[in-house]
């Protein structure tokens, strides 16, 4: 099945640094989503994007829905230790009962 | 607070055993999903269901089956467990695209 191309695969950063990760696809999506998985837990929805070009913030997190509808990025500003986890992008075509397509995840480690 | 509950956090089973992983949601969601998560491979869809008694194959259904007799419960069955089915299994439910995940079951097959 299709998966989104998510990069980077992993990141090691210092506390206080900004982080950027992105997701690309060869096909169009109508909704882009970003999830975070804390160690030992299931993924939790962080941000949902509904319109091409849309820029949405949730605290220190900012995500954008690409103009072509084939990509999205997530930025985290001033990282803190609790940002550690795996971040997944996901795309929805909103067509009938088609499941979300997920990226392989970006594993973020924050060094205090 | 909405919840998806997976019956076990950790499970150890022997090769050849029949294994049942249970998932229950309390949100009256139509849609339920089973994923497995392996390092470097992300979330891979095994089976999903959009209604009671209805099931659809995902990307990696081989070696698995599912059962959905009631709206709130979606069971994943490993007919004859093998060591390559050692993994983290995640259940999710949704009304549309906003999935709610359970905490996962880490299954080890020895």
């Amino acid at each position: 099945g299709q998966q989104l191309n998510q990069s980077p695969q992993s990141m090691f950063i210092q506390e206080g640094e900004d982080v950027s990760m992105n997701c690309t696809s060869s096909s169009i999506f109508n909704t882009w989503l970003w999830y975070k998985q804390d160690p030992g837990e299931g993924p939790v929805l962080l941000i949902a994007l509904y319109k091409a070009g849309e820029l949405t913030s949730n605290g220190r997190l900012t995500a954008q829905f690409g103009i072509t509808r084939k990509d999205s990025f997530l930025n985290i500003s001033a990282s803190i230790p609790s940002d550690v986890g795996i971040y997944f992008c996901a795309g929805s075509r909103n067509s009938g009962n088609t499941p979300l397509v997920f990226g392989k995840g970006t594993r973020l480690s924050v060094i205090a | 607070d909405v919840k998806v509950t997976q019956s076990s956090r950790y499970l150890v089973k022997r090769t050849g055993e029949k294994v049942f992983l249970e998932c229950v949601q309390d949100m009256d969601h139509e849609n339920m999903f089973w994923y497995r998560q392996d390092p470097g491979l992300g979330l891979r869809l095994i089976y999903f269901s959009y209604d009671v008694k209805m099931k659809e194959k995902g990307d990696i259904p081989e070696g698995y089956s599912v059962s959905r007799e009631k709206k709130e419960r979606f069971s994943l069955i490993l007919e004859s467990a093998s060591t390559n089915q050692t993994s983290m299994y995640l259940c999710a439910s949704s009304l549309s695209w906003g999935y709610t995940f359970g905490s996962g079951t880490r299954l080890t097959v020895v």
Side-chain angles (χ1 to χ4, degrees):
Chain A
Q2 181 186 8
Q3 279 194 309
L4 302 173
N5 299 311
Q6 187 172 350
S7 64
Q9 190 173 356
S10 62
M11 303 179 76
F12 289 82
I13 61 166
Q14 295 277 355
E15 185 177 356
E17 284 185 7
D18 297 344
V19 172
S20 186
M21 58 192 79
N22 69 80
C23 223
T24 60
S25 169
S26 57
S27 54
I28 287 170
F29 288 96
N30 295 319
T31 301
W32 282 89
L33 306 132
W34 286 91
Y35 286 80
K36 183 198 177 195
Q37 183 179 29
D38 288 327
E41 298 296 329
V44 172
L45 182 65
L46 296 174
I47 290 181
L49 302 153
Y50 305 101
K51 223 165 68 167
E54 178 182 355
L55 189 71
T56 296
S57 293
N58 178 5
R60 293 178 296 105
L61 276 59
T62 302
Q64 184 156 29
F65 190 147
I67 288 290
T68 64
R69 292 197 283 156
K70 292 182 179 180
D71 62 327
S72 177
F73 72 74
L74 175 71
N75 286 343
I76 306 172
S77 62
S79 58
I80 59 178
S82 62
D83 290 335
V84 163
I86 303 175
Y87 292 80
F88 291 99
C89 61
S92 170
R93 295 195 173 87
N94 298 343
S95 61
N97 291 328
T98 308
L100 290 180
V101 179
F102 283 90
K104 292 186 178 181
T106 295
R107 183 180 292 273
L108 180 63
S109 301
V110 179
I111 305 162
Chain B
D1 207 15
V2 295
K3 260 192 145 174
V4 175
T5 303
Q6 295 185 230
S7 53
S8 305
R9 291 298 295 263
Y10 299 94
L11 217 47
V12 179
K13 294 293 180 181
R14 294 200 181 277
T15 301
E17 274 193 75
K18 190 168 186 175
V19 181
F20 294 85
L21 302 184
E22 306 288 347
C23 176
V24 177
Q25 50 100 357
D26 64 1
M27 298 163 283
D28 202 34
H29 284 171
E30 303 288 339
N31 313 322
M32 296 189 75
F33 308 84
W34 274 106
Y35 289 86
R36 66 176 280 176
Q37 181 177 15
D38 300 288
L41 298 179
L43 302 173
R44 292 185 291 167
L45 182 63
I46 305 171
Y47 268 97
F48 58 102
S49 168
Y50 287 119
D51 203 351
V52 175
K53 295 195 186 296
M54 174 267 173
K55 60 185 178 185
E56 294 275 356
K57 291 180 181 179
D59 299 320
I60 51 162
E62 296 78 20
Y64 303 94
S65 62
V66 289
S67 170
R68 193 163 181 204
E69 296 295 317
K70 293 185 178 181
K71 191 176 187 179
E72 67 270 19
R73 186 180 295 271
F74 191 35
S75 303
L76 179 69
I77 303 154
L78 285 66
E79 298 291 343
S80 176
S82 65
T83 54
N84 63 14
Q85 292 179 309
T86 291
S87 186
M88 168 72 92
Y89 290 88
L90 288 163
C91 174
S93 73
S94 76
L95 279 177
S96 59
W97 44 256
Y99 290 13
T100 300
F101 284 87
S103 296
T105 296
R106 187 165 291 282
L107 173 68
T108 302
V109 182
V110 298

